[in-house]
Each structure stands twice: as C-alpha cells, then as structure tokens.
Amino acid sequence: MPKFAANLTMMFTEHDFLDRFAAAKKAGFDAVEYLFPYDHPPEAIAERLHEHGLTQALFNLPPGNWEAGDRGLAALPERGEEFRASIDTALRYAEATGVGRVHVMSGLASRQDTAARQAYRDSLRRVCDAAGAQGRDVVIEPINTRDMPGYFLDDFSFAADLIAELGLPNLKLQFDIYHRQILHGDVLMGLREMAPIIGHVQIAAVPDRHEPGTGELDDTRILHELDALGYEGFVGCEYRPAGRTEDGLGWMRAFA
C-alpha cells in the first residue's frame, strides 16, 4: 500500500500552516511534505513533527524570491552565490526535521542556453555532495510549462538522461503524475521505465489538480502499479482539494 504524505502547502489550508500538522495527523496521515518551510524556524517545524508523530517526506530548497516570480535558482548562472547559500539553509532545516530528501527547483531558463545547462549540472553536483554528506537524497522534478511557463526542467526524458549522465548516487527523479500526464502522457510506461531512479512520487487529478480519482486518469490503477513495481517511497498528495480537505479524503481511505 502506498505511504501517503499530505502536502501542507495545498491541503488543510483551512488552518494556519503550523496547525496543519495536527490536522493531517487527525485525518490519518503519518507523513507530510510542503513546498517551503522557511517562514518558520526549523525548531518550530521539528516540534510539530515530533508532537504529532509525523515523518517529513520532502521539501524544496529556497527558490529565490517566489513572490517576484523566481521558481528556483539551480539553472541560473548569475545566481550561483545565492544558490550555494540556499543549500546551507535547506540542510539546516533538513537536519532539524530529519527529512530524507530535498527537491531542487531548476528555475526559469531555456534548456537551449548552454550557460544554463552547465549551471544546472554544477548546481546538482554541489547540492548532491552537500546532501550526501548528511545521508540525504536530492530529487529533481520535471514541471509542466502550462502551470509554470519557462521552467527549465520540463521533460522527463531529459531528467532521466541527466541523472544517468551525472552518475550521482543520491540524485533521484521526482515523478509527479500530474505533471507527467500534461507533459507526455503514458504515465504507466513512464513509471515502469523510470522506476529504478524514482526517489519520490506525487499525485493529483488531471486537469484540475483536485483529489485523485476526479480527473481523466485511473489514479487507483496508477497507485496499484506503484505497489506492483515495488515502490517503497512516499506518495505526496500535492493536490488542491475541491472543497474542505477532510471531506475529499475518501479516495485515500480506500487504500487503508
């Protein structure tokens, strides 16, 4: 059975962020993820995890100035110093929360830009080295450019080829089912082909990004496929509830 992690950026938004940990536990989750923890001290996050017996599944490195339009720094050669500082910040939070993997957002850049491609490779080597020293994995996620126009990493095959090329033992693929369907389709074959390099999975219905089972895909079959493939990691519930979060969790209880 998949191990589900509530995405506290999108779910339980009826509550203040630090109160979402309790809400997730009460709703039956044993793990959580979110985009960014950096508005709160690492000790405050760690306290909520410990208090409610939750595992931290994932969070992202600082993305730059999100409100100003930044969507990561790794492929931006002119932001290298800021990216290096972001590694230190993320790993302080990783140490406090015990998270096993962090996600690196590439940023908005063209994959045809040689400097951006080189910066991205260099950034991944640097963060994998730093995270590996703590025994943590690094994941990269192709994101569809309908939701995030101009995103550098917008292709699953490119991501898989890059992981193979770099040969970094703790560099893995974050396979988001929602993004995969929009970018390429062929979700089940993608999972089968890329299973050996997948370090984290996320799910949401396509096209509206609501609860699994409410869109065009057979999400139940996809989740069963993960079991058949022997996937033992977390499945992050990175969806926007159509209504009150707790009212839309029937899909998950079917796997209990």
Side-chain angles (χ1 to χ4, degrees), residues 21 34 37-38 40-51 54-56 59 87-100 102 134 136:
F21 293 81
Y34 35 75
Y38 309 111
H40 304 278
E43 298 79 13
I45 303 290
E47 180 183 349
R48 296 309 192 280
L49 293 168
H50 177 74
E51 179 182 356
L54 292 164
T55 297
Q56 183 69 56
F59 58 77
I87 298 173
D88 294 338
T89 299
L91 292 183
R92 281 196 294 107
Y93 278 79
E95 188 170 9
T97 61
V99 71
V102 292
Q134 294 187 355
R136 306 184 202 283

Side-chain angles (χ1 to χ4, degrees), residues 33 58 103 139-143 156-157 159-160 163 172-182 184-204 217 222 226 229 231 234-236 238:
E33 64 174 35
L58 179 79
H103 170 222
V139 292
I140 56 174
E141 175 192 30
I143 295 178
F156 275 72
S157 293
I163 289 169
K172 309 292 184 182
L173 177 69
Q174 183 167 312
F175 195 109
D176 187 300
I177 291 160
Y178 169 82
H179 291 305
R180 170 72 192 200
Q181 173 67 2
I182 294 171
H184 309 297
D186 210 17
V187 172
L188 290 178
M189 285 304 298
L191 286 170
R192 292 167 187 170
E193 291 171 359
M194 298 181 180
I197 61 169
I198 292 175
H200 190 66
V201 173
Q202 292 177 324
I203 193 167
L217 293 176
I222 291 168
L226 288 173
L229 290 169
Y231 176 71
F234 292 100
V235 176
E238 195 183 45

Side-chain angles (χ1 to χ4, degrees), residues 19-247:
D19 294 331
R20 295 174 197 174
F21 293 81
K25 184 65 177 183
K26 183 177 180 181
F29 288 95
D30 292 320
V32 296
E33 64 174 35
Y34 35 75
L35 294 183
F36 312 111
Y38 309 111
D39 286 341
H40 304 278
E43 298 79 13
I45 303 290
E47 180 183 349
R48 296 309 192 280
L49 293 168
H50 177 74
E51 179 182 356
H52 302 295
L54 292 164
T55 297
Q56 183 69 56
L58 179 79
F59 58 77
N60 299 345
L61 265 67
N65 188 335
W66 187 268
E67 290 73 22
D70 285 340
R71 293 296 182 266
L73 303 169
L76 308 182
E78 71 279 9
R79 307 282 291 275
E81 183 176 350
E82 189 176 350
F83 178 75
R84 290 188 289 274
S86 80
I87 298 173
D88 294 338
T89 299
L91 292 183
R92 281 196 294 107
Y93 278 79
E95 188 170 9
T97 61
V99 71
R101 65 207 52 79
V102 292
H103 170 222
V104 178
M105 297 189 73
S106 64
L108 307 181
S110 170
R111 280 198 290 112
Q112 309 311 312
D113 184 334
T114 301
R117 291 166 73 103
Q118 187 59 51
Y120 190 53
R121 285 168 168 78
D122 292 344
S123 294
L124 292 179
R125 290 187 182 98
R126 185 179 293 274
V127 68
C128 283
D129 182 61
Q134 294 187 355
R136 306 184 202 283
D137 286 342
V138 173
V139 292
I140 56 174
E141 175 192 30
I143 295 178
N144 82 80
T145 52
R146 184 170 77 199
D147 285 349
M148 200 170 287
Y151 195 69
F152 176 87
L153 186 59
D154 63 353
D155 184 274
F156 275 72
S157 293
F158 177 81
D161 290 346
L162 183 60
I163 289 169
E165 174 195 329
L166 293 176
L168 301 167
N170 62 329
L171 181 61
K172 309 292 184 182
L173 177 69
Q174 183 167 312
F175 195 109
D176 187 300
I177 291 160
Y178 169 82
H179 291 305
R180 170 72 192 200
Q181 173 67 2
I182 294 171
L183 283 170
H184 309 297
D186 210 17
V187 172
L188 290 178
M189 285 304 298
L191 286 170
R192 292 167 187 170
E193 291 171 359
M194 298 181 180
I197 61 169
I198 292 175
H200 190 66
V201 173
Q202 292 177 324
I203 193 167
V206 183
D208 295 323
R209 209 167 189 174
H210 292 323
E211 286 85 348
T214 62
E216 66 193 33
L217 293 176
D218 186 343
D219 292 311
T220 299
R221 182 179 178 189
I222 291 168
L223 290 168
H224 283 306
E225 182 71 19
L226 288 173
D227 280 343
L229 290 169
Y231 176 71
E232 297 180 348
F234 292 100
V235 176
C237 302
E238 195 183 45
Y239 66 82
R240 299 186 185 94
R244 184 172 173 272
T245 301
E246 290 87 341
D247 294 340

